[in-house]
Amino acid sequence: MTKSCQTSGNSGALFSLRFSAPARLLFAILLAISTLTVTGCGGCGQQPTTTAEEEEEQERPKDDFENRTPVVIPAVFPVVDTGDEIEGETENQRRQRIEKANLEGRKVNRVKAGHWATAYFQVIANNFDGRGVIACNCVDAAFRPVPVEQTDYYVLSTRPASMPKGQWRNLETTVYLPRRETSSPSASVKYDLRSPAGLTMTSIMQPSPVMNPHQYHFVVLSHRPDSYKYMNNMDVVTVADPNAIGDPFPPFYYVVPTRDGDPVPLPRHALSWTTLAYVLWDDYAADELDTDQQIAMLDWIHHGGQLIISGPDSLDGLQNSFLADYLPAFYESAAEFTNADLEELNENFAVVVEGKAREDRVLNVLEDKPLLGINLNLQADASPIEGTGDNLIVERQVGRGRIVVTAFSLEDKRFVYWRSFNSLFNNAIMRRPARRFSSTLNTGLTFRWKDDDTSIFDPLIGSQLRFLSRDLGPSGTPTTLYNDDSGTTPEAPGMFNFGYSTVIDDSLPKRYLMPGNESMRREVDGDTWRYGGYRDTAQSGVAGWSDSSGVSMAARTTLKQAAGITPPPAGFVFKMLAGYLIVLVPLNWLIFRMIGRVEWAWVAAPLIAIAGAALVIKMASLDIGFVRSNTQVNLLEVHADYPRGHLTEYSALYTSLSTGYNVELANQTAQSLPFAANIEDWERAEVISQATLNRTRANRLEGFQIKSNSTGMLHTESMIDMGGSFSLTDDGAGGLSVVNGSTIDLVECGVVQRRDDGTLHRAWIGDLMSGGQTSTLEFEQIYREGIGEAWQENDRFLSDRAVVSRIWQDFDSDFVQLATVAEHTEVKPHWEVIKSVAARVLEGELDFSDPAATVSEISFLKLYRAANVRSGINLGDMFDAVSDYLELAPGEVRLIGATGGIVAETAFDPGSTQVIQETLVVVHLNKGRLPPVRRDWNTMADAIQDSRDPERMDEMFGTGQ
């Protein structure tokens, strides 16, 4: 065999081989195969060539830090383009799929003004291990921090961040979203990743749409989220009007599904669950929620959250979980339900309308295809929902909230496509009021509550989550929705409208209001679960942070009086002067006389004078808080048989020198903000100050600056572990006892009860010590106005309002002459002080020189408070708010008392020379019954069909039915 080589100058080297014919054939085949595998072959088109731009991109070093779109939960996390392809999917199709998924997710990613939220900031360190701080706060369109309403502060939330190289980290933090003086359609949060030295390494501002007050989140915990997509089209979530012209109907709930691979979209602390009304649980392992999320869910349920469990695929796995002690029922066995099992359900919840065929409305199953489900073993205090059949849907009240379990699957298509399923879901499963749909040319498709004239956008109906310190109304539940462009309320003239709903405004088209329903009057009598003395807050709905609730306003009044600085009394001055003279003259002379150096007494005199002055200053500062004082009034709300409570602290910090306070909070659930002042006492400062909420193992508020000779106020809330629970026991013969199994001592406590016949009864206990002390309750019947009598016999619960009311009972007129008031035995000793504040408080409304001048009870109360006749701090105003305005439902039992020690673990740095703290404890010992369940009057489809039949419309609405 011979071999030769030829070269061609311009074409490079070309090798020519001489082989036998078979060898040449084999070589040709190998050459052809190798040619097909060469990268960059233009003929094959299988591998695109690398462009110059792509090569430059590959060579360019990555940024030190990258971040993804932040998410405020509950929310859907954005889909990340990882390059993964579905078989047969093009690059463009993949990108469109991801964009569509993210668009759907953004529709439900909403925030709410006046609430704390949990945010996830996703970041990666590309080139080295990183350490730093995540800082975030709410900003306006000009990137300026948004202040906490009615204060001169904004709050920056921070947390430490550790970022191993090349690993995406989900950094969780919290942020407060303040209310605005005018509502805004979006809220923006600015996120900064800062180095330990404070340098900003990456920054992003993320705007989010803001929910209306009546809108809430509805989270679905399921590994089959597509099975619950139908919920987005249910009329309990939103009303889809096929004939609508203009704005779409605003949703009532934003349904947030779970997605495998993403974090569970639930915050780790209950005080960030406040925009969440319902959770649906289906085929989800309990340990997929971490310990903090499990505790948060129990806290949330006890304060009014509602958990819906689709039983067949869930109940068996939950029986040994953190929910075990609270489930309405346990799994007993598999079941097959036939039409006979569904008879009662159809009888009560098939929405049969006159003139419509009943057989089209009932749920039928084929004999050879029964409805698969489970038999339920009910717990002692659980019950079937009335009218739903034999244990098909059961519920259990847990604190203020409830857990409901279905014996059938909520994704079963036979239920989903049942024409009456929306009514069953609205009325029985969600326990919302019955509805009556209507559709006209003027209003479009809408509805009204069948037994309540309030707005369909009433926030008190959309969620039952309530915190006493946030949601109790200043004078109970308003009977009408308040809507005044001036932003004032009858209870608090001049204050921003934080105390009433403004949902019926221009943001919601008027066509959504039913004709004849413009008054929006609430049927508050008898419905203590939804109303019961609570009220919604503008922009926030319910459960939002509130400095204008009845409890907050009472606390502000108390602190305003108790935190005032008064000069030492005459007795203090006399004692200090007498002591000084005794030391200076006789004692000084006697000492030096005994040692034979009387002349030295003259030398010691100036030194004694200096020491005496220092002692007077020190003693005076202790007496009046001249250096620093901390006056605190708190509320602890507890639900029976649960070892955790909601603690609200209101602190007034006085300092004689400009001081920056750092506040160590009790635990990671704690939230703290500057306490809003009365609008008449406050003017917006030119520059707002920053306070920093630093989240570590225990949250810490840093840099709360107070000017010299002034008082700054803080509002702090947390969920605390009481080391045990309070419980109510029944001896079986109607006798009741209360047990204090907590670590909190109660003093001067009593119990109030409303019985089934509507009568009120009270049992006085006195002291109820921790560690299991039991008190047998001996009740006496009382009237509503007499609830507080037993407590008000003690100064701890006696408010200025109660004192003035007692004084006024001795007069037989609404207006009383000043001379008559001055001679009253409880007024006479303080009359000169009361007169001295009159000009300042009533601004010349009263002329004390006129013997015929009269004063009303309300005006005199202002004078009495301003004169600070009853100095010191007590729980009277807060007790009045709870006893007067928090309603009792039939069957409900409530314990009210004070703590015998300090409950709050909040620590202030620097400390105060004078600390005064009082805590009111409210324990919900027994729950009132839930309102009755009634089905809808008609369906949405009926309304649409009837709107095309004028005679049918006259038949339904012309008679006022």
Side-chain angles (χ1 to χ4, degrees):
M1 180 179 71
T2 63
K3 179 173 73 172
S4 67
C5 178
Q6 296 178 333
T7 57
S8 175
N10 295 329
S11 60
L14 176 64
F15 293 91
S16 175
L17 305 178
R18 293 179 180 272
F19 296 113
S20 61
R24 289 197 301 272
L25 178 60
L26 178 60
F27 180 81
I29 293 173
L30 293 174
L31 181 63
I33 294 173
S34 65
T35 302
L36 292 174
T37 62
V38 174
T39 302
C41 173
C44 67
Q46 298 297 316
Q47 184 74 25
T49 59
T50 303
T51 66
E53 291 81 1
E54 290 172 337
E55 290 178 354
E56 181 182 354
E57 181 67 26
Q58 293 172 2
E59 294 175 359
R60 183 184 305 160
K62 292 184 176 180
D63 293 336
D64 289 338
F65 299 96
E66 294 179 58
N67 60 268
R68 294 172 179 164
T69 302
V71 174
V72 178
I73 59 175
V76 176
F77 286 79
V79 177
V80 180
D81 189 352
T82 60
D84 297 336
E85 297 181 3
I86 298 175
E87 185 177 353
E89 185 181 49
T90 66
E91 173 74 13
N92 188 48
Q93 288 172 333
R94 185 182 84 245
R95 291 179 178 176
Q96 289 180 353
R97 170 174 55 85
I98 293 172
E99 176 59 29
K100 181 179 179 182
N102 286 331
L103 180 63
E104 291 298 314
R106 286 193 291 270
K107 291 180 180 179
V108 301
N109 289 5
R110 304 274 173 147
V111 298
K112 205 166 194 178
H115 291 255
W116 286 86
T118 295
Y120 277 98
F121 186 77
Q122 297 178 304
V123 65
I124 187 173
N126 288 317
N127 302 319
F128 47 79
D129 290 345
R131 298 183 65 83
V133 173
I134 291 292
C136 63
N137 64 285
C138 191
V139 297
D140 61 18
F143 291 86
R144 295 170 302 196
V146 178
V148 177
E149 53 267 22
Q150 267 181 240
T151 75
D152 297 324
Y153 299 87
Y154 75 94
V155 174
L156 181 74
S157 298
T158 66
R159 60 149 290 173
S162 176
M163 297 157 288
K165 177 183 175 181
Q167 299 181 24
W168 280 99
R169 295 294 309 277
N170 262 324
L171 301 177
E172 179 187 338
T173 186
T174 57
V175 61
Y176 178 67
L177 304 164
R179 300 178 189 87
R180 313 289 183 91
E181 293 184 18
T182 56
S183 59
S184 175
S186 66
S188 296
V189 178
K190 184 173 178 287
Y191 302 84
D192 290 334
L193 176 61
R194 299 174 180 174
S195 70
L199 299 176
T200 300
M201 297 183 286
T202 184
S203 180
I204 184 173
M205 185 181 76
Q206 179 65 29
S208 297
V210 171
M211 290 190 285
N212 285 320
H214 75 283
Q215 296 175 318
Y216 302 94
H217 287 112
F218 192 134
V219 170
V220 177
L221 296 179
S222 174
H223 290 295
R224 302 185 298 273
D226 288 347
S227 299
Y228 287 95
K229 281 187 174 180
Y230 72 83
M231 291 186 62
N232 292 303
N233 298 318
M234 295 182 71
D235 55 36
V236 297
V237 171
T238 188
V239 175
D241 188 350
N243 302 320
I245 299 175
D247 296 328
F249 203 101
F252 299 100
Y253 302 95
Y254 289 99
V255 180
V256 180
T258 49
R259 191 167 57 202
D260 291 345
D262 287 341
V264 179
L266 294 173
R268 285 187 168 83
H269 307 296
L271 297 182
S272 294
W273 285 52
T274 51
T275 64
L276 180 54
Y278 294 90
V279 171
L280 192 154
W281 191 303
D282 185 11
D283 190 25
Y284 211 74
D287 58 10
E288 294 187 63
L289 275 63
D290 64 29
T291 302
D292 286 338
Q293 288 171 323
Q294 293 175 8
I295 295 173
M297 177 173 280
L298 292 178
D299 290 344
W300 171 76
I301 294 172
H302 277 85
H303 285 273
Q306 299 186 64
L307 175 63
I308 301 166
I309 300 174
S310 182
D313 294 325
S314 304
L315 204 54
D316 193 27
L318 293 177
Q319 291 177 180
N320 295 312
S321 73
F322 70 99
L323 289 168
D325 293 338
Y326 308 100
L327 293 173
F330 287 164
Y331 172 90
E332 186 172 89
S333 61
E336 295 182 349
F337 300 119
T338 64
N339 285 328
D341 299 310
L342 302 176
E343 184 175 350
E344 185 178 349
L345 182 71
N346 278 318
E347 181 66 27
N348 292 285
F349 285 94
V351 184
V352 180
V353 180
E354 184 179 353
K356 309 287 185 180
R358 184 179 185 277
E359 55 270 18
D360 294 337
R361 307 302 179 99
V362 299
L363 176 64
N364 285 304
V365 296
L366 300 176
E367 292 184 6
D368 58 341
K369 291 184 178 180
L371 186 69
L372 301 180
I374 57 175
N375 291 313
L376 298 175
N377 180 12
L378 267 64
Q379 298 305 292
D381 54 349
S383 61
I385 294 180
E386 55 187 300
T388 60
D390 186 15
N391 295 351
L392 282 178
I393 308 175
V394 300
E395 68 180 351
R396 181 181 183 181
Q397 288 183 262
V398 179
R400 186 186 155 74
R402 60 190 279 267
I403 299 178
V404 56
V405 173
T406 62
F408 53 87
S409 173
L410 288 171
E411 60 176 326
D412 190 294
K413 299 303 180 186
R414 285 170 288 188
F415 268 98
V416 173
Y417 293 125
W418 179 33
R419 293 186 66 177
S420 301
F421 184 57
N422 278 277
S423 175
L424 179 73
F425 205 94
N426 175 77
N427 307 136
I429 295 176
M430 293 178 68
R431 262 199 178 272
R432 284 162 32 110
R435 302 167 297 176
R436 181 167 62 184
F437 288 91
S438 171
S439 180
T440 69
L441 292 177
N442 293 329
T443 65
L445 179 61
T446 185
F447 68 88
R448 63 194 298 178
W449 306 118
K450 184 174 179 293
D451 301 310
D452 196 332
D453 284 335
T454 189
S455 165
I456 60 175
F457 305 117
D458 193 332
L460 293 175
I461 290 179
S463 172
Q464 298 314 310
L465 187 63
R466 306 282 193 271
F467 293 96
L468 185 56
S469 63
R470 299 185 177 195
D471 297 301
L472 183 66
S475 57
T477 303
T479 56
T480 58
L481 287 177
Y482 191 78
N483 183 25
D484 186 342
D485 293 337
S486 67
T488 62
T489 70
E491 282 77 11
M495 294 189 70
F496 295 140
N497 186 12
F498 295 154
Y500 284 81
S501 170
T502 54
V503 294
I504 308 302
D505 57 22
D506 291 338
S507 67
L508 299 175
K510 300 301 182 186
R511 67 184 182 85
Y512 299 137
L513 308 183
M514 288 286 291
N517 195 32
E518 290 83 359
S519 67
M520 301 301 163
R521 186 172 181 84
R522 290 168 167 149
E523 300 296 333
V524 299
D525 293 337
D527 192 349
T528 55
W529 189 50
R530 298 187 180 96
Y531 302 133
Y534 298 106
R535 61 92 173 96
D536 58 297
T537 303
Q539 302 182 34
S540 296
V542 298
W545 192 270
S546 177
D547 288 345
S548 64
S549 69
V551 171
S552 293
M553 292 177 69
R556 185 183 292 109
T557 299
T558 301
L559 293 177
K560 187 176 178 180
Q561 289 180 268
I565 304 304
T566 57
F572 171 84
V573 176
F574 176 78
K575 290 177 183 178
M576 295 302 298
L577 180 59
Y580 169 69
L581 293 176
I582 290 172
V583 172
L584 180 64
V585 181
L587 187 60
N588 182 26
W589 179 85
L590 180 61
I591 291 174
F592 288 107
R593 175 72 176 81
M594 292 174 62
I595 64 176
R597 296 287 186 178
V598 177
E599 67 275 12
W600 288 7
W602 295 101
V603 178
L607 299 178
I608 294 174
I610 294 173
L615 179 62
V616 169
I617 292 173
K618 178 64 176 177
M619 295 301 293
S621 69
L622 292 174
D623 183 75
I624 66 173
F626 182 72
V627 180
R628 285 181 297 272
S629 70
N630 181 358
T631 307
Q632 194 168 316
V633 59
N634 309 323
L635 174 70
L636 176 61
E637 183 182 18
V638 181
H639 290 274
D641 304 314
Y642 189 59
R644 291 168 60 80
H646 177 237
L647 178 65
T648 304
E649 308 168 52
Y650 301 96
S651 305
L653 303 169
Y654 169 80
T655 177
S656 60
L657 300 174
S658 180
T659 304
Y661 281 88
N662 295 325
V663 186
E664 196 75 30
L665 304 179
N667 50 53
Q668 281 200 347
T669 70
Q671 302 166 347
S672 186
L673 291 175
F675 189 26
N678 280 328
I679 190 69
E680 61 268 18
D681 298 336
W682 171 77
E683 292 182 4
R684 173 78 69 193
E686 294 183 3
V687 178
I688 60 174
S689 302
Q690 173 185 306
T692 302
L693 184 68
N694 185 20
R695 181 177 177 183
T696 53
R697 291 183 178 178
N699 292 349
R700 178 180 173 89
L701 186 71
E702 300 174 344
F704 180 56
Q705 192 70 33
I706 302 176
K707 297 178 181 179
S708 59
N709 292 321
S710 63
T711 301
M713 294 197 291
L714 280 178
H715 175 175
T716 303
E717 297 183 25
S718 60
M719 301 299 302
I720 65 168
D721 191 330
M722 302 181 299
S725 61
F726 293 86
S727 59
L728 186 70
T729 60
D730 190 333
D731 62 8
L736 298 178
S737 299
V738 60
V739 182
N740 181 1
S742 74
T743 58
I744 298 173
D745 294 331
L746 295 187
V747 295
E748 298 161 10
C749 63
V751 171
V752 289
Q753 174 195 42
R754 185 180 292 278
R755 296 186 177 171
D756 291 343
D757 60 4
T759 58
L760 282 170
H761 297 258
R762 179 183 62 218
W764 184 249
I765 296 174
D767 296 346
L768 187 66
M769 296 296 103
S770 60
Q773 182 176 343
T774 301
S775 177
T776 301
L777 303 179
E778 298 180 1
F779 286 98
E780 60 175 340
Q781 185 172 349
I782 58 173
Y783 296 96
R784 177 74 204 180
E785 57 272 14
I787 286 181
E789 287 180 357
W791 284 269
Q792 291 171 352
E793 291 176 0
N794 187 289
D795 282 345
R796 176 178 259 134
F797 297 100
L798 184 61
S799 67
D800 288 340
R801 192 189 71 166
V803 172
V804 171
S805 178
R806 186 174 62 200
I807 292 171
W808 233 252
Q809 288 178 1
D810 295 336
F811 304 133
D812 191 24
S813 176
D814 292 335
F815 288 85
V816 183
Q817 286 189 347
L818 292 173
T820 303
V821 176
E823 292 300 318
H824 192 280
T825 54
E826 291 193 54
V827 177
K828 192 172 184 178
H830 313 289
W831 183 244
E832 293 302 320
V833 178
I834 292 172
K835 283 177 61 176
S836 69
V837 302
R840 172 173 56 85
V841 174
L842 298 181
E843 298 180 353
E845 294 178 16
L846 283 179
D847 182 3
F848 279 79
S849 63
D850 181 3
T854 61
V855 64
S856 69
E857 180 179 350
I858 294 176
S859 295
F860 184 73
L861 175 59
K862 293 179 182 179
L863 295 176
Y864 194 85
R865 280 177 169 164
N868 204 11
V869 172
R870 300 169 62 252
S871 59
I873 186 172
N874 71 10
L875 298 169
D877 290 297
M878 193 177 290
F879 174 82
D880 286 352
V882 173
S883 62
D884 288 354
Y885 302 124
L886 185 61
E887 294 290 335
L888 278 164
E892 190 170 359
V893 182
R894 183 180 302 141
L895 182 150
I896 305 176
T899 57
I902 294 179
V903 177
E905 297 179 1
T906 304
F908 295 84
D909 181 21
S912 298
T913 53
Q914 184 184 71
V915 178
I916 305 173
Q917 182 181 128
E918 286 281 3
T919 302
L920 181 72
V921 181
V922 177
V923 184
H924 306 283
L925 288 173
N926 195 55
K927 304 166 285 290
R929 283 185 295 277
L930 297 173
V933 174
R934 297 188 176 95
R935 71 167 176 84
D936 289 343
W937 191 80
N938 62 348
T939 68
M940 193 170 68
D942 292 330
I944 295 172
Q945 184 178 3
D946 291 336
S947 67
R948 299 162 186 167
D949 184 353
E951 293 183 1
R952 179 65 176 169
M953 290 297 293
D954 289 341
E955 178 185 342
M956 287 193 299
F957 298 106
T959 61
Q961 185 176 8

